[in-house]
Amino acid sequence: MTSGVRALVLPVSQRRSLEELGEDLDLSSGDTRSKRSAFWTMLTLSSVIAACGVLTDSTATVIGAMIIAPLSTPIMGIALGSVRRRRTGGLGVVLCACVLVVAVGMVFSQVLPGDYDLLSNSQISSRTSPGLLDLVAALATGLAGAVALARRDVAAVLPGVAIAISLVPPLVVSGVCLGRLDGWPALGALVLFVSNFFALVFGGMVIFASLGYDGAAGGPARRAYAAMALLFAAVFIPLAANTALTLLLEIWTGRAKTAAQQWLANQPGASVTSVDAASRTMHIHVRLPGDLPPVQPLLDRLRGQIPDGVPIVVEESRGRRVDAGRVGD
């Protein structure tokens, strides 16, 4: 960050001192007993609130959990410690916190009925398939959070930063999915948390180093930046792959909907209500007043439009379900 931009974004008159930041972000300094008591109490309560919000599909409840969740404090403490080349124990606190939140999610998952469809819950489905835009948003949020912490006059925006960055909810979702023995969604939610974690640390390191909090003439620790860059790349790759897969699925579902509309073109009053992909199967939802026409012409139309071997299921609005077969067979 150049001196001109730094002076504009972080004016000297509003910058907090290193001692002030350290007191707020380092749980191992000062009155450690009170700090840790408050941290674990609020983390447990925010986990319970998030679990209730996730299981009831309540956005407002999940936002409430985000606001009171204290997990960003040790994460930003890791960023400050990395810049200062000091160990604060923040990483161990974050790992233990992750175990606690995931465990809460697993416990609450036991109240769900046996046939509950996890991906029908928007609070779960929205956190199990992260993409590149989630990483970009997390990075911007990390920068915003670090700026808010470093300036005395913008502390009021910290609740907004807490809402913008998703830390406790994806861990709860991961625990819920693990409790239901559904590994892939659990992994997706965990990747979302990890990407947000690295984005917060990276953003914090950039801002804190630009303020000269490294405390050394040689600048911030290069090894810390190199390690963060490697870890960031490790997160970037699966997010990029998932983004590409999501775009492909949108293209394939669009083509499948067009083919299904052509298939029903000669059926008066028939329509395609939606097309979606779940568990590697293409589901085509239709509404029609009479009997379902033969499905083989549908498979013929889908050949070359979506990959061969994809199972096709046609579901009528009246509840009938027809396994049409696989494309290309």
Side-chain angles (χ1 to χ4, degrees):
M1 186 181 294
T2 63
S3 58
V5 174
R6 180 171 56 193
L8 178 64
V9 176
L10 300 162
V12 176
S13 61
Q14 296 297 335
R15 293 180 197 171
R16 302 180 70 197
S17 68
L18 179 58
E19 290 72 21
E20 290 176 302
L21 271 181
E23 178 64 24
D24 287 347
L25 300 180
D26 188 355
L27 298 180
S28 62
S29 67
D31 188 355
T32 58
R33 184 173 182 178
S34 295
K35 284 183 178 181
R36 292 182 176 179
S37 172
F39 174 81
W40 291 110
T41 300
M42 296 306 294
L43 181 67
T44 302
L45 292 174
S46 67
S47 301
V48 172
I49 295 171
C52 293
V54 165
L55 296 184
T56 58
D57 203 357
S58 172
T59 301
T61 306
V62 172
I63 289 175
M66 290 178 178
I67 293 176
I68 69 170
L71 200 49
S72 62
T73 298
I75 292 177
M76 281 299 185
I78 293 172
L80 183 61
S82 298
V83 168
R84 298 180 66 192
R85 308 177 193 176
R86 292 184 181 180
R87 295 182 179 179
T88 63
L91 184 58
V93 171
V94 172
L95 290 176
C96 292
C98 290
V99 172
L100 171 63
V101 178
V102 170
V104 170
M106 294 179 69
V107 170
F108 273 79
S109 71
Q110 303 308 307
V111 305
L112 295 174
D115 59 348
Y116 186 82
D117 182 8
L118 292 176
L119 296 183
S120 67
N121 184 319
S122 64
Q123 296 300 324
I124 294 177
S125 61
S126 64
R127 293 181 171 89
T128 56
S129 184
L132 283 180
L133 288 181
D134 293 298
L135 184 61
V136 173
L139 182 57
T141 305
L143 293 170
V147 169
L149 287 169
R151 290 185 59 150
R152 295 189 178 92
D153 58 341
V154 292
V157 307
L158 283 174
V161 172
I163 294 172
I165 194 72
S166 191
L167 293 173
V168 167
L171 288 174
V172 167
V173 169
S174 184
V176 169
C177 295
L178 284 176
R180 304 292 295 179
L181 302 180
D182 204 341
W184 283 111
L187 180 60
L190 187 60
V191 168
L192 175 60
F193 168 79
V194 172
S195 65
N196 290 345
F197 167 78
F198 287 136
L200 270 178
V201 175
F202 188 80
M205 289 176 66
V206 170
I207 297 299
F208 297 150
S210 69
L211 292 176
Y213 289 151
D214 54 287
R222 294 183 179 179
R223 283 187 297 178
Y225 273 121
M228 283 301 303
L230 288 174
L231 293 172
F232 211 72
V235 173
F236 178 88
I237 292 172
L239 291 183
N242 190 64
T243 300
L245 179 59
T246 301
L247 292 176
L248 283 175
L249 284 176
E250 289 181 357
I251 294 173
W252 292 336
T253 54
R255 291 177 177 177
K257 186 173 184 178
T258 300
Q261 289 171 339
Q262 294 171 350
W263 170 56
L264 295 176
N266 296 327
Q267 301 290 321
S271 63
V272 179
T273 57
S274 65
V275 177
D276 58 73
S279 300
R280 302 179 183 178
T281 300
M282 192 76 72
H283 296 261
I284 300 175
H285 303 268
V286 301
R287 181 185 292 112
L288 68 168
D291 295 331
L292 192 72
V295 295
Q296 186 57 46
L298 172 62
L299 294 177
D300 294 338
R301 290 181 180 277
L302 289 173
R303 181 174 295 178
Q305 299 300 310
I306 64 177
D308 288 345
V310 174
I312 303 297
V313 174
V314 179
E315 299 184 17
E316 291 187 59
S317 57
R318 292 174 294 181
R320 185 186 177 195
R321 175 189 170 104
V322 176
D323 292 325
R326 296 177 179 269
V327 177
D329 286 355

